[in-house]
Amino acid sequence: DAGVIQSPRHEVTEMGQEVTLRCKPISGHNSLFWYRQTMMRGLELLIYFNNNVPIDDSGMPEDRFSAKMPNASFSTLKIQPSEPRDSAVYFCASRGLAGGTSTDTQYFGPGTRLTVL
Amino acid sequence: KQEVTQIPAALSVPEGENLVLNCSFTDSAIYNLQWFRQDPGKGLTSLLLIQSSQREQTSGRLNASLDKSSGRSTLYIAASQPGDSATYLCAVSGGGFKTIFGAGTRLFVKA
């Protein structure tokens, strides 16, 4: 398996523009997580899905952020409009929960480095 | 609200030394605790996962312990190598599997 795939790897945009980050989880995993990492705040959970359904979005900073998971193999995180303070590395992670301990492990993608000018 | 603290924030040791990284959490009602490694500019790699009913896990030169009642975990690295240089993050998952990360310990192993 190729692991968790994220695109793009780097994104530079101007303030006010819409940004869409994409994630393909590991096949067979039924949970998906979006995180944001900054120097100031560390790694923060934004939202997570279980079986394509959003379970907890309390970490989403504001209404400018939205996430969707239309099917088990694809998720998007959208920021509209983007602001300079949104600059960060955004990680997607997936997990397969089937009762075994090994499947509780979260597997992270390589991240998308977002810079908003 | 769960809070996760990692001490020390940074650590520099000579190659070959055994070392301990510490993680503490405020709410003992956790589902599991996981240790990750992050190399600069990279994603996170899972090292060890300890379920709440377990007390330790081992993988090669790594050993992680969990004392849920006191809200503490340690990651022990034996015979450290320059390739171990990275940031190590502790993460706890509680009800609903919400995961909270510590700020990490930045480790540098000198050759």
Side-chain angles (χ1 to χ4, degrees), chain A residues 49 52 67-76:
Chain A
F49 296 83
N52 311 338
K68 294 182 179 180
M69 192 164 186
N71 57 62
S73 59
F74 183 66
S75 177
T76 60

Side-chain angles (χ1 to χ4, degrees), chain B residues 34-81:
Chain B
Q34 204 164 355
W35 283 93
F36 290 88
R37 169 185 172 139
Q38 186 175 28
D39 293 286
K42 305 288 186 181
L44 280 69
T45 301
S46 178
L47 298 173
L48 292 164
L49 182 146
I50 312 176
Q51 300 291 353
S52 62
S53 58
Q54 298 174 324
R55 301 198 67 172
E56 66 176 347
Q57 285 286 338
T58 298
S59 176
R61 295 182 293 108
L62 306 180
N63 175 276
S65 68
L66 174 63
D67 184 341
K68 201 173 72 165
S69 61
S70 67
R72 294 180 181 180
S73 176
T74 61
L75 178 67
Y76 175 82
I77 303 177
S80 58
Q81 303 171 357

Side-chain angles (χ1 to χ4, degrees), chain A residues 44-91:
Chain A
E44 303 173 281
L45 177 65
L46 300 177
I47 185 171
Y48 76 92
F49 296 83
N50 195 49
N51 293 324
N52 311 338
V53 176
I55 302 299
D56 186 341
D57 65 354
S58 60
M60 297 286 262
E62 47 197 277
D63 292 344
R64 297 185 296 106
F65 286 69
S66 62
K68 294 182 179 180
M69 192 164 186
N71 57 62
S73 59
F74 183 66
S75 177
T76 60
L77 177 67
K78 185 176 294 186
I79 308 173
Q80 165 64 18
S82 58
E83 296 182 3
R85 60 194 169 116
D86 301 331
S87 297
V89 180
Y90 291 81
F91 288 104

